[in-house]
Amino acid sequence: MERIDRILNHREFQEHLHKNMELEADRLFCRHNLAHFLDVARIGRIINLEEGVGIEEELLYGAALLHDIGKHLQYSDQIPHEKASAQLAPQILGDCGFDESEIAAIVEAIASHRDGSAAGERSLRGILYRADKASRPCFCCKVQRDCNWKEGRKNQTILY
């Protein structure tokens, strides 16, 4: 996954990742860091394989690594993080060797990763949405009671 390694080592990706980490250093709830990005990527890969969707692995990993990369802009500039991340992703993806159609698919998935209408889709959008939600270990979270996720949406079991 050469292009994924390029994303991980991309200067802008690293800068945005560190800004997320700085602004969430004292955050009690789920964080938007590399561990979360990789959890989403790996869960997405499992979903893709189990459902036989056939999404190219580098597209899954590219979307997962970049889906929350703009979270710091939500804190600093009140830009919804799915929009901020969708704005930041094309430059990084292009620099890392993704073509225009791949970039468009990844950006669409990032922009809609909080849109529940994507949940049932057998597509990159649907996989990213479901993997993101499944990645949260609510069952062992010490601040679960204070979380703004509705009780029925909190992950009480491991799915993947």
Side-chain angles (χ1 to χ4, degrees):
M1 292 199 303
E2 184 178 321
R3 295 184 296 177
I4 299 310
D5 291 337
R6 287 185 205 152
I7 291 173
L8 291 170
N9 292 296
H10 192 278
R11 183 185 54 77
E12 286 183 41
F13 174 81
Q14 288 290 324
E15 287 174 6
H16 294 296
L17 179 63
H18 290 295
K19 287 178 184 177
N20 282 357
M21 291 168 48
E22 287 172 11
L23 290 173
E24 291 187 340
D26 297 324
R27 182 178 163 94
L28 298 175
F29 301 102
C30 297
R31 295 183 181 173
H32 302 86
N33 56 21
L34 187 58
H36 169 60
F37 300 167
L38 289 172
D39 286 345
V40 172
R42 292 172 178 145
I43 291 169
R45 185 172 189 267
I46 292 168
I47 293 169
N48 188 45
L49 291 170
E50 284 185 354
E51 296 181 4
V53 179
I55 303 294
E56 183 185 339
E57 193 170 83
E58 283 191 319
L59 297 182
L60 286 169
Y61 271 77
L65 289 175
L66 295 169
H67 81 284
D68 285 339
I69 200 67
K71 183 68 174 181
H72 65 93
L73 293 170
Q74 184 168 321
Y75 298 129
S76 65
D77 300 340
Q78 289 71 51
I79 300 170
H81 75 272
E82 65 276 15
K83 291 181 181 176
S85 299
Q87 291 171 357
L88 297 171
Q91 181 66 49
I92 296 169
L93 291 165
D95 290 350
C96 294
F98 290 84
D99 67 34
E100 288 183 26
S101 66
E102 292 171 322
I103 293 169
I106 292 170
V107 168
E108 179 185 12
I110 291 170
S112 61
H113 83 269
R114 297 183 68 213
D115 180 354
S117 70
E121 292 181 16
R122 291 176 42 86
S123 65
L124 182 57
R125 280 172 29 106
I127 291 173
L128 183 62
Y129 177 89
R130 287 180 278 144
D132 185 38
K133 303 309 172 259
S135 71
R136 302 305 190 173
C138 305
F139 58 88
C140 66
C141 179
K142 63 184 176 184
V143 293
Q144 181 184 164
R145 291 185 185 141
D146 298 320
C147 180
N148 64 4
W149 271 26
K150 294 178 182 173
E151 286 305 315
R153 295 193 65 208
K154 293 179 182 176
N155 298 322
Q156 299 302 328
T157 59
I158 295 175
L159 299 175
Y160 303 98

